Amino acid sequence: RLSDVPWKEGDDIDLKPHSVRSKIRARIFFSYTSNQISCGQREIIRFLVQHKMVDVIVTTAGGIEEDIIKCFEPTFMGDFKLKGRELRKKGINRIGNLLVPNMNYCKFEDWIVPLIEQMHD
């Protein structure tokens, strides 16, 4: 809200009266792609929402399969600095700082493939 920001010299003179400023509101839209959550930005996004710094969030459902996978089996907290190549040799995938065993993906595929086949038929 413009009324929350003090008028200062150099601003539009028509916006100086508090009565005018209190009527001017802006909605802050925050849009992001799903990879922002898995790449480590989720805490920043949480902070913005928790402190009411955004009014509307628009996001994709691109990472919905990762959310579903987390429902089947545990996903573990790791570190962004872990080497993906070394983890992969051990059958572990890294999504940002999250560690997901290969078996979790297999269980997801076992669940989703029949649904897709049913929709296709």
Side-chain angles (χ1 to χ4, degrees), residues 36-60:
Q36 294 302 303
I37 298 300
S38 53
C39 78
Q41 302 297 316
R42 61 183 167 273
E43 288 303 313
I44 293 170
I45 295 169
R46 182 197 57 78
F47 180 90
L48 294 172
V49 172
Q50 180 181 357
H51 291 91
K52 302 186 185 322
M53 299 173 83
V54 297
D55 297 307
V56 180
I57 294 178
V58 180
T59 187
T60 65

Side-chain angles (χ1 to χ4, degrees), residues 82-94 99-103:
L82 293 172
K83 302 289 183 201
R85 178 178 285 162
E86 297 304 315
L87 292 170
R88 188 79 178 124
K89 289 177 185 176
K90 297 176 183 177
I92 299 172
N93 301 280
R94 184 173 63 79
L99 303 177
V100 186
N102 283 342
M103 184 52 66

Side-chain angles (χ1 to χ4, degrees), residues 12-54:
D12 186 335
I13 192 70
D14 293 335
L15 299 176
K16 187 172 183 177
H18 189 340
S19 60
V20 172
R21 296 172 76 74
S22 65
K23 294 177 184 174
I24 298 175
R25 298 182 58 179
R27 295 257 182 249
I28 298 175
F29 283 72
F30 179 71
S31 178
Y32 64 93
T33 56
S34 62
N35 67 316
Q36 294 302 303
I37 298 300
S38 53
C39 78
Q41 302 297 316
R42 61 183 167 273
E43 288 303 313
I44 293 170
I45 295 169
R46 182 197 57 78
F47 180 90
L48 294 172
V49 172
Q50 180 181 357
H51 291 91
K52 302 186 185 322
M53 299 173 83
V54 297

Side-chain angles (χ1 to χ4, degrees), residues 69 72 102-117:
I69 287 169
F72 289 117
N102 283 342
M103 184 52 66
N104 297 23
Y105 286 95
C106 295
K107 288 191 177 188
F108 171 72
E109 289 173 8
D110 291 344
W111 176 78
I112 195 75
V113 168
L115 293 175
I116 293 172
E117 288 173 346

